[in-house]
Amino acid sequence: MDVTGWLLRHTPPRPMVVTAPGGTSARVAVERAVLARGWRPALNPARTNLLVVAGHAPWLEPYLRRVWDSIPAPRVRVDVPEALDERLLDDALAALRDPVRQRTHHTEPVEDVFMADRAPDRDGLTLDELHVPLGPVLAYWPAGLIVHTRLQGDVVTAATVEVAGAGTATGDAFWSGADPVARRLDACGRLLALAGWTDQAVVAQRLRDAVLDGRPADGLARFTARVRRSRTLRWLLAGVGHVTDGPFAGDALTRLYGWLDGTGPPPDTRWALDHLPELLAGTELANARLVVASLDPDLEPSHHG
């Protein structure tokens, strides 16, 4: 009995979708296809077996290689540079379940190594300080964004922001001509996915797709009410990424509710990039991606000034 073949045939696909600058259209198309197939997305390399790259950016390859090397076998990479051809996903699934191809292409994972310095912590002790970059290859992460963090333990002590590949995107700014409700629902879905509420992230994506298609967003009020009722979500997001004043005053929970109700300010990528370092300083690393997602910066050409 071919145990490996049997296991591969019963391996569920777990796509991790990452976006290159200019790749939002491809990302949305991939997410639609993933929903239609009933596949459950993965949030990190350790849980994925399909690395799906939405958009095309040659400068991204070194980052993609590092992520690829950390994905355990079986694994397949899928590139969707522009419009999605569904056969790409069919072929990827076949490759994922093909023992010969998996044996041929398997290499040992190579983990990133982060260097530690010494720095005083908040209690006056001298502790190791790690330099850890976030991005640009992460699920539900702004395309082209790299946040360079310094960590003591699991706390971000300082952060700087880099926009990688600036000016190299070839796609159109996807949200420029779209209904703003669709973008808010997209942002809701990304934040809910990172918060671990996969079921409602899926609902947000389905509602987003309905709005993009010009169809009635049936269930929007029910979705909004359910998200607002969640005590777990309030506990998780309250106080995260708190802004003291101005149009973005509040925390990640406030911004999520603003997206749901359409009462929040329009997205401001420049504001987000300028304020991310101060918002991330003192934040636990586990919350850093929630802070970024709650600001929803869009680095495609017409939104990044």
Side-chain angles (χ1 to χ4, degrees):
M1 180 180 180
D2 183 0
V3 176
T4 299
W6 185 91
L7 289 172
L8 288 175
R9 287 194 299 274
H10 292 81
T11 297
R14 294 294 307 275
M16 187 178 93
V17 184
V18 300
T19 314
T24 300
S25 178
R27 170 180 66 83
V28 171
V30 168
E31 289 174 348
R32 283 180 185 249
V34 167
L35 286 178
R37 291 163 182 257
W39 295 355
R40 294 183 68 83
L43 290 180
N44 56 62
R47 294 181 176 271
T48 190
N49 49 28
L50 288 180
L51 176 61
V52 185
V53 184
H56 177 64
W59 62 265
L60 200 59
E61 285 302 318
Y63 301 98
L64 289 166
R65 170 53 61 180
R66 286 198 290 271
V67 170
W68 174 257
D69 286 343
S70 67
I71 298 174
R75 58 185 180 171
V76 174
R77 172 173 163 175
V78 185
D79 288 272
V80 184
E82 295 179 359
L84 172 65
D85 184 339
E86 294 267 352
R87 290 174 294 184
L88 286 173
L89 299 181
D90 294 334
D91 293 343
L93 183 59
L96 181 67
R97 294 178 170 173
D98 184 336
V100 175
R101 293 184 66 174
Q102 289 303 319
R103 291 190 187 103
T104 301
H105 295 292
H106 176 59
T107 58
E108 291 299 318
V110 178
E111 300 293 339
D112 287 332
V113 177
F114 302 109
M115 301 302 294
D117 295 327
R118 295 278 185 171
D121 78 343
R122 291 175 291 187
D123 298 320
L125 302 175
T126 300
L127 300 176
D128 284 342
E129 185 175 68
L130 289 175
H131 298 252
V132 179
L134 299 177
V137 181
L138 288 171
Y140 305 109
W141 184 259
L145 178 65
I146 305 177
V147 177
H148 300 277
T149 68
R150 295 206 304 268
L151 300 179
Q152 285 185 340
D154 62 351
V155 176
V156 177
T157 59
T160 57
V161 172
E162 175 187 355
V163 178
T168 64
T170 57
D172 294 329
F174 180 79
W175 297 114
S176 293
D179 189 320
V181 174
R183 178 172 178 182
R184 291 199 296 269
L185 286 166
D186 183 74
C188 286
R190 289 152 72 84
L191 182 55
L192 291 173
L194 289 172
W197 203 359
T198 305
D199 291 344
Q200 292 307 302
V202 166
V203 173
Q205 289 180 348
R206 293 192 188 281
L207 291 169
R208 172 204 66 191
D209 295 342
V211 174
L212 289 173
D213 293 343
R215 296 182 281 112
D218 296 331
L220 179 56
R222 183 167 59 253
F223 164 74
T224 298
R226 183 168 186 184
V227 172
R228 276 188 163 276
R229 283 197 306 268
S230 173
R231 294 181 180 179
T232 302
L233 199 62
R234 288 199 295 271
W235 172 82
L236 185 65
L237 297 181
V240 172
H242 182 72
V243 178
T244 55
D245 53 27
F248 294 92
D251 52 22
L253 186 67
T254 306
R255 292 188 278 277
L256 174 63
Y257 287 170
W259 293 335
L260 292 170
D261 301 336
T263 57
D268 188 332
T269 294
R270 175 47 58 193
W271 189 96
L273 295 179
D274 289 344
H275 288 81
L276 259 179
E278 64 190 78
L279 291 176
L280 290 175
T283 298
E284 292 184 0
L285 183 62
N287 288 334
R289 290 175 68 178
L290 295 174
V291 174
V292 174
S294 76
L295 296 174
D296 190 34
D298 182 2
L299 304 184
E300 289 192 344
S302 71
H303 290 135
H304 176 223

